[in-house]
Amino acid sequence: MSESARFPRPLQRTRLYEQVAEQITAWIAENDLKSGDRLPPERQLATSLGVSRATLSQALVALEVIGVVAVRHGDGTVLTDKPRVERITDAIRAHAERIPDVIEARDALETKLAALAAQRRTQNDLDHIDAALKAMDEDIAGGGRGVHGDELFHRAVTQAAHSPLLEQMMSEISELIRETRIESLSQPDRPRTSLAGHQKIADAIADGDAERAAAAMHGHVMLVSDVALLRDE
Amino acid sequence: MSESARFPRPLQRTRLYEQVAEQITAWIAENDLKSGDRLPPERQLATSLGVSRATLSQALVALEVIGVVAVRHGDGTVLTDKPRVERITDAIRAHAERIPDVIEARDALETKLAALAAQRRTQNDLDHIDAALKAMDEDIAGGGRGVHGDELFHRAVTQAAHSPLLEQMMSEISELIRETRIESLSQPDRPRTSLAGHQKIADAIADGDAERAAAAMHGHVMLVSDVALLRDE
DNA sequence: ATTGTCCTATTGGCTAGGCCACTGAGCCGT
DNA sequence: ACGGCTCAGTGGCCTAGCCAATAGGACAAT
């Protein structure tokens, strides 16, 4: 196995519960289980996996700590709504609502993401972005605020950047962003303005112009932040 | 149900292993144990806490997942060096080393941090930044690479931005950054160049010029990234 | 019909006790 | 010195079992 001269193979030992946990998550992914769905009973699951209940229990503890499942005495084991823990989210919320902080983080991440997206977007990425624009447009035309379309757009841009680390960070503050998003789009005339901003960003990304994309995204985020600032006064 | 007057006590049930884990961490704090120190043997610890070995084992799994301890077969349970988990770190490392991703994230975060620092720095912040510059300068003059001073500088700038969310994100990738840092500063003449970059950033921050600070930081990060890119070839 | 009570099957929580596998240190023969 | 061996201590995992909580149905009271 990889006769690499660089890594003398520390030969890391794997505990059984780790393998079990991995198998369970794999099984969840395979069967496309969603939050609220139940895992098989412990006894059954243990025999299925060929391990003791004690070991399975360890695996469930691990998954519980990670935030994948919730084990309920007398009821069963159910999938948690949030597949990943949002440690950051909790940290912030604990210190009351700090909308400006979220705006800052968004600005830092999304400006860079837009620039990267302009450089790396595939045709498929552009299709997703266009679809998001269209969805928001139709929603607004129908009298809606375009909240969903807005979210789709930003997610599409994030995807187009093809940067796993930044994507992960965005996902960690996505919940925080969602709150400000609704707030912002509730302002009169804001949805149309916001959509126009999206269009500018999308054009720059399509053109492959990183600087213009970054500038457009920065302006857009600043626009959104207006609400939050007003809210303070 | 749900005839709630708001919060009728969700009455959250606590699992035994959670209490055990808390007691262990408390015990660690009390006795001021540091990384590398050993916990008592499982059998002894279990009887001391008045629980079965299986339950204690669950608690240890939880602590292991969080990253507090490392359980070594046949040897014992030792404290880990990093008291907090770096979930992101693991995610990235699992997908092999993705240096470019780290650079991107660093650029996104630190550029914004530098701009914010220019706007918000206190005299105390500036003192810390200067101290870091001085430390790095002396280290280099003494023949060192200035690794520690470099780290101090970036941490001081991060602090000066006074943005808890961004600071948290930086801390999550700090370990990843450290690896690239050492690599970069090992290049000949790099320490001095890097220090000059720091000085430019520090000046801009001291002047309160956000744009210049951001530009200087961006340039600095790009300089550092050179190494990582070379490494691929 | 609705409500409240009880019963019970099912499911997780935890314990006890035991055997196996690994680690490290000391012993011993070479 | 060196290399192999032994052995005590430690974690890994299992089996078997009882306790506790939950949900849902049966059934009585209203």
Side-chain angles (χ1 to χ4, degrees):
Chain A
M1 43 191 83
S2 79
E3 241 36 89
S4 67
R6 288 179 68 82
F7 289 97
R9 272 280 162 206
L11 190 65
Q12 109 182 27
R13 186 163 304 286
T14 88
R15 314 253 248 109
L16 226 206
Y17 83 81
E18 295 175 13
Q19 301 179 33
V20 173
E22 277 181 25
Q23 286 205 37
I24 292 177
T25 54
W27 185 78
I28 290 173
E30 270 178 33
N31 300 42
D32 193 38
L33 298 189
K34 303 183 178 179
S35 64
D37 289 341
R38 273 185 162 64
L39 254 50
E42 285 193 0
R43 291 165 174 82
Q44 176 185 330
L45 194 51
T47 56
S48 296
L49 294 167
V51 300
S52 72
R53 248 186 98 199
T55 298
L56 172 62
S57 187
Q58 288 185 324
L60 292 180
V61 166
L63 292 177
E64 192 175 32
V65 170
I66 297 178
V68 176
V69 303
V71 184
R72 301 204 288 229
H73 191 177
D75 189 9
T77 305
V78 301
L79 297 205
T80 308
D81 50 347
K82 42 178 181 180
R84 289 196 167 272
V85 209
E86 315 291 344
R87 186 182 312 279
I88 294 179
T89 303
D90 297 344
I92 286 298
R93 239 193 270 290
H95 293 279
E97 305 196 10
R98 302 283 309 248
I99 307 285
D101 290 341
V102 178
I103 302 291
E104 287 165 19
R106 236 192 121 170
D107 187 34
L109 297 178
E110 294 211 88
T111 300
K112 181 71 180 177
L113 282 167
L116 289 174
Q119 295 167 345
R120 302 177 180 174
R121 84 290 185 285
T122 66
Q123 186 55 49
N124 189 29
D125 293 330
L126 293 178
D127 291 345
H128 278 94
I129 292 175
D130 279 341
L133 288 174
K134 195 176 168 204
M136 187 168 177
D137 185 42
E138 289 174 356
D139 186 15
I140 295 175
R145 291 176 298 179
V147 175
H148 183 58
D150 186 285
E151 190 166 351
L152 279 181
F153 176 78
H154 287 282
R155 201 185 305 161
V157 172
T158 300
Q159 294 273 354
H162 299 281
S163 177
L165 231 185
L166 288 173
E167 185 177 348
Q168 167 75 17
M169 289 178 166
M170 276 300 290
S171 81
E172 292 198 9
I173 63 169
S174 64
E175 200 178 325
L176 260 19
I177 290 178
R178 185 171 300 122
E179 297 172 7
T180 68
R181 190 194 313 283
I182 296 173
E183 191 91 10
S184 168
L185 292 174
S186 298
Q187 299 232 331
D189 206 39
R190 175 54 58 81
R192 289 241 75 93
T193 318
S194 189
L195 181 56
H198 286 184
Q199 189 64 58
K200 278 178 63 180
I201 298 167
D203 289 344
I205 291 177
D207 290 349
D209 189 334
E211 277 195 37
R212 220 173 81 223
M217 179 63 88
H218 175 65
H220 179 62
V221 173
M222 288 300 102
L223 171 75
V224 172
S225 74
D226 269 354
V227 177
L229 294 180
L230 284 176
R231 190 178 176 178
D232 278 352
E233 271 130 19
Chain B
M1 39 212 100
S2 88
E3 235 40 271
S4 65
R6 215 55 186 149
F7 283 100
R9 275 264 164 218
L11 190 65
Q12 156 175 6
R13 188 160 302 285
T14 87
R15 312 252 249 112
L16 225 206
Y17 84 80
E18 296 175 14
Q19 300 179 34
V20 172
E22 278 181 25
Q23 287 204 38
I24 293 176
T25 55
W27 185 78
I28 291 172
E30 271 177 33
N31 299 42
D32 194 38
L33 298 189
K34 303 183 178 180
S35 65
D37 290 341
R38 275 186 159 64
L39 253 50
E42 287 194 358
R43 293 169 232 272
Q44 176 185 331
L45 194 50
T47 56
S48 297
L49 294 167
V51 299
S52 71
R53 245 186 103 198
T55 298
L56 172 62
S57 186
Q58 288 184 325
L60 291 179
V61 165
L63 292 177
E64 191 176 33
V65 170
I66 297 178
V68 176
V69 303
V71 184
R72 301 205 287 228
H73 191 175
D75 191 8
T77 305
V78 301
L79 296 205
T80 309
D81 49 348
K82 47 176 182 181
R84 286 193 170 276
V85 214
E86 317 291 342
R87 187 181 314 282
I88 293 179
T89 303
D90 297 344
I92 288 298
R93 238 193 272 288
H95 292 279
E97 305 195 9
R98 303 284 310 246
I99 308 283
D101 291 342
V102 178
I103 302 292
E104 287 164 20
R106 234 192 122 170
D107 186 35
L109 296 179
E110 294 212 88
T111 301
K112 180 71 180 177
L113 282 168
L116 289 174
Q119 295 167 346
R120 302 178 180 172
R121 85 287 186 286
T122 65
Q123 186 54 49
N124 188 31
D125 293 330
L126 293 178
D127 291 345
H128 277 95
I129 292 175
D130 278 342
L133 288 175
K134 194 176 170 206
M136 188 169 177
D137 185 41
E138 289 174 356
D139 186 16
I140 295 174
R145 291 176 299 180
V147 175
H148 183 58
D150 186 286
E151 188 165 353
L152 279 181
F153 175 78
H154 286 282
R155 201 185 303 161
V157 172
T158 300
Q159 294 272 355
H162 298 280
S163 177
L165 231 184
L166 288 173
E167 185 176 347
Q168 168 75 17
M169 288 179 168
M170 276 301 290
S171 79
E172 292 199 10
I173 65 169
S174 65
E175 198 179 328
L176 259 19
I177 290 178
R178 184 170 302 123
E179 297 173 8
T180 68
R181 189 193 315 283
I182 296 173
E183 190 90 10
S184 168
L185 292 173
S186 298
Q187 299 232 332
D189 205 41
R190 175 55 58 81
R192 289 241 76 92
T193 318
S194 191
L195 180 56
H198 287 183
Q199 190 64 59
K200 278 179 61 180
I201 297 168
D203 290 344
I205 291 177
D207 290 350
D209 189 334
E211 275 193 39
R212 219 173 82 224
M217 179 62 89
H218 176 65
H220 179 62
V221 174
M222 287 302 101
L223 171 76
V224 172
S225 75
D226 269 356
V227 177
L229 293 179
L230 284 176
R231 188 179 178 178
D232 278 353
E233 270 129 22

